[in-house]
Amino acid sequence: MAFEPIQSLVARAIDRFPDRVAVQTAHGSLRYRELDQRVDAVAAELYRCGARGASVVAVLAGDRAELTAALLAVLRLGGVVVPLDVGTRPDRLGWMLREADPDLLVVGADDGGLAEHVRDTCDRATLVDLGTVKDRPGNDYPPHVPAPDDPCYLFFTSGSTGRPKGILGRLSAVDHYIRWEAELLGAGPQWRVGQLISPAFDAVLRDLLLPLSVGATVCVPAEDVRLDPVALCRWLDRERIDLIHCVPSVFRALAGAIDTVRPGFEALKCVALSGERVLPTDAAGWFDRFGERIRLLNLYGPSETTMTKTFHFVTAADARGRSVPIGRPMPDTVVLLLDERGREVPPGRVGEVHLRTAYRSLGYHRRPQETERAFIADPTRPGDDEVVYRTGDFARLLPDGTLDFLGRRDRQVKVGGVRVELDGVEQLLREDPSVAEAAVVSVEPDDAPPYLCAFVETGTGTDSEELRTRLSEHLRAHLPDGAIPAVIVPLELIPRTISGKIDRKALTVPVRSPTRPDAVAPRTATERTIAGIWARTLPAPVDDVHTRFFDVGTSLAVISVLARLTEEFGVSVPLADFLANQTIEGLSNLVERLLLADDDADDLFGS
């Protein structure tokens, strides 16, 4: 595939479809002509402030139209864009900004307050306020001539140790991926593509650049819609969305809301899944409702090799099988399954996934030694200059030629689409003076999302509940949601092997969360039903009706709970009301008020 920079693809779409809507949000829309003017104005201001080729430009904008214009402006100048999520905690934003060390910090019109909180972490960066430049006419700035190996973006993948690790993207790899997926799916100017993914993850490039490269429309739901599966179902149906990308956790909740909403999804053509393992049960209900009319696309590939490197259209047969394959390599990619000596394993045998492709990233930002450890000389081609990326994942080749993903080689896992370094979580737990040792394990139930369980060695005389609360607060100050253990188990002694190492196989994950001495068990039928919903959604049942949801669950689990509340009670619980009533008792009272309101409405209309 000959190189054609993404900037050129978008420019061609602007020329061809100036009056089509490019970006549609809950606050309005931008046509391609208007988007071009906005990009031109931002690029001119960035250039005036010192941006040049390879300048690192961090973007902190909650409005997706502003984010899109800034991202395209940085690319137009040949810079390196660092998209950040305004929903990220200020301390974590600070770590990312310190690691990126940007030349410029672009903030949205309504995000100046957040920028002030993190300003001291990148004090050398020039601050650019989009609120002051978006309506200015663009000025002349020198055209940039892109080259295939130009660095173009910086995304952070891990960060679970408190030291986020940035991956530097290669321009030709973005071009290669976007054109490949557009051709694979047949995307065209009439398409409407949902934008559900956080701007802090590299998959957001699929949401934005794929539609903009073909003249299609980027459609952004309101934040409360994105987090509410019932509302999201209705939005996808009403807005006639053709394509969405999401993690399986979101898809699982979306599928769970289908019976409540009963959408036709007449326009929807494909749901592309990535970031974590797709379970057969994820697909089974979907196929029961839609058959294979709406394709499910399973994508696999680490950010180090640019978004995706294998793909598989899920079939109804996969939904009845033991696992869903990650498929075959996309063009210009070779998948090698190697043993511990670097030799290829035969079909059916388990090997570590190594990826060989010219369309990989440029490595880790300012971490050459880590780049060298991850991108190694190809063991199957002695003397060749080609390198492969060692993923740390295990897989095997199935008889039909597809790949079956089997898990991680090392202590990195993915929870809710977030890569988590278990060693880093353990180190943070050890920082508490009451914790002598810590061990964190990943738990993958057959019928539920994966979660983390932490075991902490405390000796005797420690208040377990107070310790759990303290540790959870400490972890939340340093880690993303997916990296926070859902269950914390204090032990007098952590089991060890004869050699003195932690015996992780001897650690028993509790079936239930420890009960507080003053816990109040569910008392009414409504409370018991809601407790049952929590038990099916969270890693362990909750015995206390006064426990706050976010003390035991994450934001991804909210979607499933909202869908199941609607399924069980026949009422839709708005996200804002859920957040204000996070306990079983509070939710019970809220649900009963909603049910009573429905009954009153029925009486009023004589139903």
Side-chain angles (χ1 to χ4, degrees):
M1 181 185 289
F3 170 63
E4 184 173 5
I6 192 67
Q7 302 95 310
S8 298
L9 297 178
V10 176
R12 185 187 305 155
I14 290 170
D15 289 340
R16 292 182 61 195
F17 309 106
D19 295 317
R20 289 192 61 81
V21 174
V23 182
Q24 175 185 304
T25 73
H27 308 294
S29 61
L30 281 177
R31 299 186 182 278
Y32 272 88
R33 178 188 293 109
E34 296 167 327
L35 176 63
D36 183 44
Q37 292 169 348
R38 184 78 58 86
V39 172
D40 190 46
V42 176
E45 180 66 10
L46 292 176
Y47 185 80
R48 187 187 69 80
C49 291
R52 300 293 186 268
S55 290
V56 177
V57 183
V59 179
L60 190 61
D63 184 286
R64 292 297 195 271
E66 288 186 328
L67 172 73
T68 303
L71 183 149
L72 293 175
V74 176
L75 293 178
R76 190 172 286 187
L77 291 172
V80 177
V81 64
V82 190
L84 300 170
D85 192 331
V86 297
T88 306
R89 294 184 309 274
D91 55 345
R92 185 167 173 78
L93 278 176
W95 295 332
M96 292 180 177
L97 286 167
R98 276 194 295 272
E99 186 76 8
D101 190 24
D103 301 293
L104 296 94
L105 173 60
V106 178
V107 298
D110 297 324
D111 304 306
L114 180 58
E116 286 303 315
H117 283 293
V118 297
R119 188 72 180 89
D120 59 346
T121 64
C122 56
D123 53 4
R124 82 172 187 88
T126 301
L127 188 67
V128 178
D129 185 348
L130 291 178
T132 66
V133 302
K134 65 181 180 181
D135 294 324
R136 294 180 185 175
N139 299 311
D140 290 338
Y141 48 88
H144 173 75
V145 180
D149 290 336
D150 280 353
C152 59
Y153 66 73
L154 185 64
F155 285 100
F156 295 91
T157 57
S158 178
S160 60
T161 63
R163 295 185 60 203
K165 185 163 55 177
I167 292 178
L168 196 60
R170 186 192 308 260
L171 190 59
S172 62
V174 177
D175 160 55
H176 180 261
Y177 179 85
I178 295 299
R179 286 202 283 161
W180 167 78
E181 187 179 334
E183 182 178 351
L184 177 74
L185 301 179
Q190 302 298 324
W191 277 40
R192 294 169 60 79
V193 179
Q195 203 287 289
L196 307 182
I197 293 172
S198 163
F201 294 100
D202 63 345
V204 74
L205 297 177
R206 294 194 279 255
D207 282 355
L208 299 179
L209 297 180
L210 186 146
L212 294 178
S213 70
V214 298
T217 301
V218 179
C219 300
V220 187
E223 186 69 5
D224 58 344
V225 170
R226 187 178 67 85
L227 293 175
D228 181 339
V230 171
L232 184 58
C233 261
R234 290 173 177 151
W235 180 84
L236 292 170
D237 207 26
R238 181 180 66 252
E239 296 297 329
R240 300 188 61 80
I241 301 300
D242 294 88
L243 167 68
I244 58 170
H245 302 93
C246 63
V247 297
S249 300
V250 171
F251 172 72
R252 189 175 300 120
L254 191 65
I258 287 174
D259 289 339
T260 299
V261 179
R262 297 194 176 279
F265 285 158
E266 294 178 1
L268 191 58
K269 298 175 178 63
C270 182
V271 179
L273 305 168
S274 64
E276 57 191 19
R277 185 179 300 186
V278 178
L279 303 176
T281 52
D282 292 341
W286 186 267
F287 286 122
D288 289 343
R289 178 70 176 80
F290 299 109
E292 297 189 26
R293 175 176 67 84
I294 303 172
R295 293 185 290 180
L296 300 181
L297 177 60
N298 190 20
L299 301 171
Y300 164 82
S303 299
E304 285 86 347
T305 56
T306 314
M307 292 183 278
T308 289
K309 284 296 169 281
T310 75
F311 68 102
H312 176 72
F313 283 109
V314 184
T315 67
D318 295 329
R320 298 188 296 271
R322 184 187 60 82
S323 63
V324 175
I326 57 173
R328 304 172 187 273
M330 63 182 286
D332 305 304
T333 299
V334 175
V335 176
L336 301 172
L337 298 181
L338 307 181
D339 63 18
E340 63 278 1
R341 297 184 181 180
R343 302 171 302 188
E344 291 191 74
V345 300
R349 297 288 297 275
V350 177
E352 184 180 348
V353 178
H354 292 65
L355 297 172
R356 183 171 69 224
T357 176
Y359 300 107
R360 59 186 180 272
S361 73
L362 294 167
Y364 299 115
H365 183 54
R366 297 178 177 173
R367 296 191 181 187
Q369 292 181 336
E370 293 190 36
T371 299
E372 290 179 6
R373 285 196 293 267
F375 295 86
I376 63 173
D378 188 340
T380 67
R381 293 183 172 183
D384 196 343
D385 291 335
E386 188 63 62
V387 301
V388 295
Y389 174 68
R390 188 180 185 187
T391 68
D393 293 331
F394 282 132
R396 63 180 175 179
L397 193 64
L398 298 174
D400 65 357
T402 60
L403 289 162
D404 184 23
F405 177 82
L406 298 173
R408 295 286 301 165
R409 175 200 69 214
D410 52 22
R411 296 266 296 147
Q412 285 190 349
V413 298
K414 272 196 173 181
V415 181
V418 177
R419 191 185 302 180
V420 180
E421 295 173 357
L422 299 182
D423 291 339
V425 181
E426 292 172 356
Q427 182 58 42
L428 286 170
L429 289 167
R430 293 188 196 102
E431 291 179 2
D432 189 282
S434 298
V435 175
E437 185 54 274
V440 179
V441 297
S442 176
V443 184
E444 297 189 12
D446 292 336
D447 57 352
Y451 66 94
L452 300 183
C453 179
F455 298 85
V456 291
E457 185 176 294
T458 61
T460 57
T462 301
D463 184 329
S464 297
E465 192 57 34
E466 191 275 335
L467 177 64
R468 288 192 191 92
T469 300
R470 188 168 71 241
L471 291 176
S472 295
E473 291 175 352
H474 179 59
L475 294 176
R476 283 195 181 92
H478 294 82
L479 301 175
D481 283 346
I484 299 172
V487 181
I488 297 177
V489 183
L491 299 173
E492 288 188 17
L493 290 171
I494 286 181
R496 286 171 169 76
T497 63
I498 296 175
S499 64
K501 295 180 180 179
I502 293 176
D503 187 358
R504 299 181 188 279
K505 294 182 180 179
L507 295 169
T508 302
V509 176
V511 176
R512 300 181 64 83
S513 296
T515 303
R516 295 166 51 104
D518 58 347
V520 177
R523 300 151 295 189
T524 67
T526 304
E527 287 182 350
R528 286 191 289 272
T529 300
I530 293 174
I533 290 173
W534 285 28
R536 296 195 299 273
T537 307
L538 300 174
V542 174
D543 296 324
D544 186 359
V545 298
H546 297 138
T547 298
R548 293 178 69 259
F549 183 86
F550 280 109
D551 287 340
V552 291
T554 68
S555 56
L556 284 175
V558 173
I559 300 175
S560 295
V561 169
L562 291 174
R564 285 173 170 161
L565 285 172
T566 302
E567 182 180 346
E568 290 283 350
F569 296 105
V571 295
S572 179
V573 177
L575 175 64
D577 290 345
F578 176 88
L579 296 176
N581 299 272
Q582 287 189 36
T583 65
I584 291 174
E585 181 183 57
L587 279 176
S588 175
N589 293 335
L590 173 62
V591 167
E592 289 176 355
R593 290 198 302 271
L594 292 172
L595 288 170
L596 183 60
D598 277 356
D599 288 343
D600 290 344
D602 289 344
D603 290 341
L604 180 64
F605 291 101
S607 299

